[in-house]
Amino acid sequence: MNYSQLVQQQKKAVWEDQLTTVSKRIEYLKTLRTLVSDNEKKLCDAVSEDFGKPYFESFSSEIYTTVQEVDYHLKNVTEWAKPKSVRGSVTAFPSKNYIYRRPFGSVLIIGPWNYPILLILQPLIGALSAGNTAVIKPSEMAPATSACINSLIDEYFDPEIVSVAEGGAETSQHLLSLPFDKIFFTGSPRVGKIVMKAAAEQLTPVTLELGGKSPAIIHEDANLEVSAKRIMWGKTFNAGQTCVAPDYALVHENIYDTFIDHCKHALNTFFENDYKPGVNYTQIVNDDHFSRLRELLKNTEILTGGNTDTERRFIEPTIVRAGWKDEIMKDEIFGPLLPVIPYKDTDGMIRQVNRLPPPLALYIFSEDNNFQDRIMNEIPFGGGCINDTIVHFANPNLAVGGVGKSGMGSYHGKFSFDTFSRPQSILKKQYWPDP
Ligand code: NAD
């Protein structure tokens, strides 16, 4: 495929050919909805082939969430796209003043492997809703899903509206050298830097959805049974391979042992010590990540779990007692290992969290409003939950995005529409009166 030519055709489709008017956008969003719902099984099977994700997990986190997002845009896009009248100013009296929302043109969307349907199609919904055309590049690390998305997009869309580029880093870098009008990247902070450098060469605006070490903070007053259940659920969903998974837990020292007991109990309730990758649990995506995670367990004090199986790329949910200087606290874990660090005083705990880059998510477990306020006011983080984990990602009314090294810009629902469009100001006058 000649992507250079394709980008020009996609720009022309937006501007000269007027193929992304609001009525056309609604048509494309409906097409995307049909693509997903008619091929739900095919798509989930592809994810299962890639890394043994159970059908129910794929359905709930990839299919349902994508359809929910399309429906939200279908319901609202007409209103969002209307020019908004704003007050005039004395200096240009009399005049009418409007804010139009304009698309960027042809956008490039690069996705990660861990939710390989959702994280490529959810930005695409925003791009189409805001009137852009798009080239999407799924991750090569989920090759069956990438191939499935490629063939479905090819079947349902004209390439001048949406096209898929398959491949790894080289394909990505070639695409990054082209004059796209906007780049939306989801992936690691390491590759995020490469993307931003390339975008700087073309002065292309970027949105970066990255990762980081997202803490769960469990205060002394927390309901430990429910907190443990919700944290272990967030940590074991997709085997911890979730950007907003709780990466590590900070637990007040007075409740440390009881919290760990509740975590063990929660795991037992979920899996009854019978982990079946592909049925009730997810595999680690590939051998490299499997080895990396197994290495992280070396020289740790394992409190529960620790079993691994190379052939099935299985890592049992594992809780370790940890300290701030441990190897497991250096980078994002992205797997089912939960280091739990005890803390004594809130001041010291906040200082320690702030020594790490600002996380993508943060979870507070406490009913003490003062404690909740202190954490939210004194630690910068992307977004999160109070007394739950990861579910904020599934609400189209909430913006998802990081801060600092965990990303820039946000999306979902109206935030996606805004991310993929720009305000254009127009001041309109008559020839008369002419003060
Ligand atoms: P990754 O950065 O390795 O890869 C992401 C994409 O970048 C892939 O499509 C890949 O082909 C491409 N890529 C890889 N190397 C490249 C290079 N040198 N030049 C240009 N492109 C390149 O990330 P991953 O392993 O797929 O995903 C895991 C990371 O993504 C984690 O850090 C996780 O936290 C983050 N993530 C963030 C979100 C979010 O919403 N913020 C969601 C999912 C994952």
Side-chain angles (χ1 to χ4, degrees):
M1 169 87 72
N2 183 337
Y3 292 113
S4 185
Q5 210 173 2
L6 180 68
V7 174
Q8 296 312 326
Q9 282 165 352
Q10 288 206 343
K11 287 173 193 262
K12 185 166 173 283
V14 175
W15 303 115
E16 289 166 42
D17 300 342
Q18 287 290 297
L19 292 182
T20 59
T21 55
V22 177
S23 60
K24 288 275 184 197
R25 297 178 204 181
I26 291 173
E27 186 187 315
Y28 303 143
L29 289 171
K30 285 185 178 162
T31 303
L32 189 55
R33 193 187 196 286
T34 310
L35 178 158
V36 175
S37 48
D38 283 2
N39 297 284
E40 166 195 317
K41 185 166 181 324
K42 211 188 244 185
L43 285 160
C44 291
D45 285 350
V47 182
S48 174
E49 188 185 330
D50 283 328
F51 56 105
K53 193 188 225 178
Y55 194 89
F56 179 73
E57 273 197 25
S58 287
F59 178 79
S60 59
S61 64
E62 311 246 30
I63 302 293
Y64 176 80
T65 326
T66 305
V67 171
Q68 174 185 256
E69 178 84 4
V70 180
D71 286 344
Y72 193 86
H73 282 257
L74 280 169
K75 191 168 158 219
N76 293 297
V77 63
T78 308
E79 190 53 41
W80 294 338
K82 279 184 189 155
K84 306 281 180 298
S85 173
V86 295
R87 285 179 64 152
S89 72
V90 181
T91 38
F93 183 83
S95 65
K96 288 183 175 166
N97 295 262
Y98 302 96
I99 304 283
Y100 286 76
R101 294 296 313 188
R102 297 296 184 202
F104 284 99
S106 171
V107 306
L108 171 63
I109 297 170
I110 301 177
W113 59 265
N114 62 330
Y115 289 85
I117 304 168
L118 177 73
L119 296 179
I120 203 85
L121 296 188
Q122 198 163 23
L124 176 64
I125 294 165
L128 291 175
S129 169
N132 302 279
T133 49
V135 173
I136 59 179
K137 199 212 75 71
S139 171
E140 74 285 12
M141 277 164 67
T145 314
S146 173
C148 183
I149 290 175
N150 191 3
S151 81
L152 290 175
I153 292 284
D154 190 41
E155 184 185 332
Y156 285 76
F157 283 95
D158 287 332
E160 65 193 344
I161 306 300
V162 186
S163 188
V164 178
E166 279 201 272
E170 273 174 28
T171 306
S172 210
Q173 287 185 353
H174 172 57
L175 294 168
L176 287 168
S177 71
L178 301 176
F180 282 97
D181 301 299
K182 161 97 192 172
I183 297 169
F184 187 100
F185 171 80
T186 308
S188 60
R190 180 186 69 82
V191 180
K193 285 184 202 168
I194 297 172
V195 170
M196 202 165 165
K197 272 188 200 152
E201 283 302 314
Q202 308 273 352
L203 289 179
T204 305
V206 285
T207 298
L208 300 177
E209 296 286 334
L210 311 176
K213 284 185 95 59
S214 301
I217 303 172
I218 302 96
H219 197 41
E220 221 177 337
D221 73 304
N223 176 329
L224 295 183
E225 186 187 348
V226 178
S227 307
K229 214 164 33 177
R230 294 180 185 172
I231 291 167
M232 292 323 293
W233 176 73
K235 190 65 173 178
T236 54
F237 199 81
N238 211 25
Q241 301 167 114
T242 302
C243 55
V244 287
D247 185 276
Y248 65 101
L250 298 167
V251 182
H252 194 278
E253 61 177 15
N254 292 347
I255 51 155
Y256 190 94
D257 293 336
T258 322
F259 173 73
I260 300 292
D261 287 343
H262 280 294
C263 288
K264 290 179 188 169
H265 180 72
L267 285 174
N268 232 327
T269 318
F270 297 163
F271 300 102
E272 295 170 336
N273 208 16
D274 187 13
Y275 296 93
K276 297 188 215 93
V279 180
N280 68 355
Y281 194 56
T282 306
Q283 285 178 298
I284 301 306
V285 67
N286 59 28
D287 293 343
D288 286 351
H289 277 286
F290 176 81
S291 311
R292 178 184 64 80
L293 289 165
R294 216 174 38 177
E295 271 310 292
L296 283 181
L297 280 181
K298 284 198 178 143
N299 307 317
T300 57
E301 184 187 337
I302 294 180
L303 302 176
T304 189
N307 290 313
T308 61
D309 175 354
T310 312
E311 204 166 305
R312 293 186 301 158
R313 296 197 309 274
F314 160 72
I315 296 201
E316 187 182 3
T318 303
I319 300 175
V320 305
R321 188 181 180 94
W324 287 102
K325 295 202 167 122
D326 294 355
E327 196 58 34
I328 200 164
M329 287 305 295
K330 297 229 163 91
D331 288 312
E332 181 182 9
I333 296 169
F334 224 56
L337 318 178
L338 184 73
V340 184
I341 303 179
Y343 74 87
K344 200 188 286 186
D345 68 292
T346 306
D347 290 345
M349 180 265 288
I350 290 174
R351 268 199 307 276
Q352 288 283 8
V353 175
N354 282 337
R355 285 198 180 124
L356 297 175
L360 180 61
L362 185 147
Y363 305 108
I364 304 167
F365 287 85
S366 169
E367 284 185 327
D368 177 343
N369 290 333
N370 290 333
F371 182 78
Q372 294 170 3
D373 286 348
R374 278 207 66 189
I375 301 297
M376 287 194 287
N377 290 331
E378 295 178 34
I379 301 177
F381 61 96
C385 307
I386 295 173
N387 297 324
D388 210 339
T389 61
I390 76 178
V391 284
H392 63 299
F393 203 93
N395 178 357
N397 295 300
L398 295 177
V400 165
V403 52
K405 291 201 166 57
S406 59
M408 61 182 69
S410 60
Y411 77 129
H412 286 201
K414 170 74 159 54
F415 299 95
S416 285
F417 182 88
D418 290 344
T419 284
F420 283 104
S421 63
R422 64 182 183 85
Q424 183 187 52
S425 299
I426 295 294
L427 185 150
K428 188 173 179 179
K429 279 197 166 189
Q430 305 295 338
Y431 285 118
W432 188 92
D434 186 26

